[in-house]
Amino acid sequence: MLLGVFWAVEKQWPLGGIWLLGMVIVTVGMGHGALDALLLVGQFRPLSRAMLMGVAYLAVTVGAGWLFSLSFPVALIALLLMSAWHFGEGYPSTVICRVAVGGASVMAPALLQREALSELLQSVTRHEAAWLMDLWVALAWSWVMVVIALLLLTVSAWSGKKAFGPYRARATSMAYAEIFLVVTLNIVLTPIFQFALFFGAYHCVAHIARVQQAARHHEGLPMRRAAWAWGISMAIVLTLMAMLWLWLRSSGFRALEVNAQVLHWLVVVLAAVTVPHLFLVSYSQRWLDR
């Protein structure tokens, strides 16, 4: 029923996914990224060292943003590869399991919604759209091979009566469920709408819950203060975005050129903030799993 509602909304507003993604990034996206401050405090002691690493974090973000702003293809390819690794965080079974899950939301659209993706790329970068689409499809087929490898490993373990272990078996079952869900979203919705829903309603929420759960086992981490700060800042950002949306709508924001520019900068910004976030979360893997 929920998918039906989103499908109907998307039919009424075909380019709404771009703006939904923008809203998601500046609300729950920034909120889940803001919790990196807790990871810095938890991983680097004393506080002065954590603050120094925080400065380095911001410097990497700015540097990556400058680099990606010079080339949209570089930003897009980097975002695809980083997402395929980062979205599989939390799956301890194997690297294959992690990439199979993480790549679903960014690779499946290239096979299931190729025409829609091609139109999006054409609107953003006409000259490089063709080879970017071909490269995206090639990466998607590589992801399919990883999923097949995961299936073969699972069948081999079961047939040989070599259990993954209770935790790993449960994680593998969840991996297949997540892949199935993402593929279903890609069949029903367009790529941007699918990614916005996956990123905002699942990945960000799961990461926030994971950090909160880990923080309960570590003394001295101000989760309540962080939660209040996050809530207030996100309320302000959401209000500003709503005002911007109303202003752009009154100005005829549905023009293709405006949406193309918005999508261009969404990719650049998301790729830039993902670079330090990816490394910090991967570095904090043990801390998060305690």
Side-chain angles (χ1 to χ4, degrees):
M1 182 180 294
L2 185 60
L3 282 178
V5 171
F6 283 118
W7 179 83
V9 170
E10 188 178 38
K11 290 299 181 183
Q12 292 295 323
W13 189 17
L15 297 176
I18 296 176
W19 294 89
L20 174 62
L21 178 59
M23 295 287 287
V24 165
I25 290 175
V26 299
T27 53
V28 291
M30 291 182 64
H32 105 288
L35 292 180
D36 283 355
L38 292 178
L39 298 183
L40 288 171
V41 173
Q43 287 293 304
F44 302 100
R45 302 294 178 89
L47 182 60
S48 58
R49 187 185 176 200
M51 294 178 65
L52 182 62
M53 294 303 297
V55 173
Y57 184 105
L58 293 176
V60 170
T61 303
V62 173
W66 173 79
L67 176 63
F68 293 147
S69 67
L70 299 178
S71 174
F72 175 80
V74 172
L76 178 61
I77 294 169
L79 181 60
L80 292 177
L81 296 177
M82 289 188 295
S83 298
W85 178 257
H86 177 57
F87 288 161
E89 291 276 3
Y91 284 92
S93 298
T94 62
V95 172
I96 291 178
C97 180
R98 176 173 177 167
V99 175
V101 177
S105 65
V106 292
M107 298 303 174
L111 302 177
L112 299 174
Q113 296 281 356
R114 181 169 182 173
E115 183 177 349
L117 272 183
S118 296
E119 292 178 0
L120 286 173
L121 290 177
Q122 283 285 348
S123 68
V124 177
T125 172
R126 295 180 181 178
H127 301 295
E128 290 125 340
W131 71 264
L132 268 178
M133 192 67 246
D134 290 340
L135 177 58
W136 200 336
V137 171
L139 291 173
W141 280 114
S142 299
W143 166 74
V144 170
M145 295 299 103
V146 174
V147 175
I148 293 175
L150 178 62
L151 287 168
L152 292 176
L153 284 174
T154 305
V155 172
S156 176
W158 287 345
S159 61
K161 297 182 179 180
K162 296 178 181 179
F164 282 113
Y167 182 67
R168 291 190 173 185
R170 183 167 61 252
T172 305
S173 300
M174 292 174 61
Y176 287 125
E178 184 171 333
I179 293 172
F180 176 79
L181 174 63
V182 172
V183 169
T184 302
L185 286 176
N186 276 282
I187 293 174
V188 178
L189 304 174
T190 58
I192 298 296
F193 228 95
Q194 173 271 143
F195 183 78
L197 287 177
F198 170 82
F199 182 72
Y202 179 74
H203 171 72
C204 291
V205 174
H207 178 75
I208 292 172
R210 189 182 180 205
V211 174
Q212 289 179 335
Q213 184 178 7
R216 292 191 184 101
H217 300 284
H218 300 271
E219 298 180 0
L221 295 182
M223 282 302 303
R224 289 187 177 181
R225 291 183 181 180
W228 275 104
W230 174 82
I232 294 173
S233 62
M234 289 305 102
I236 294 174
V237 171
L238 183 61
T239 301
L240 292 175
M241 283 298 297
M243 293 172 63
L244 176 63
W245 182 83
L246 291 173
W247 177 75
L248 288 172
R249 184 176 183 180
S250 65
S251 303
F253 75 103
R254 288 185 179 141
L256 182 60
E257 293 78 10
V258 176
N259 285 285
Q261 286 297 315
V262 170
L263 181 58
H264 176 279
W265 287 107
L266 283 179
V267 171
V268 170
V269 170
L270 193 56
V273 298
T274 299
V275 174
H277 177 68
L278 169 66
F279 282 104
L280 180 60
V281 173
S282 295
Y283 179 79
S284 306
Q285 189 77 29
R286 292 184 179 180
W287 187 88
L288 288 168
D289 291 336
R290 287 180 182 177

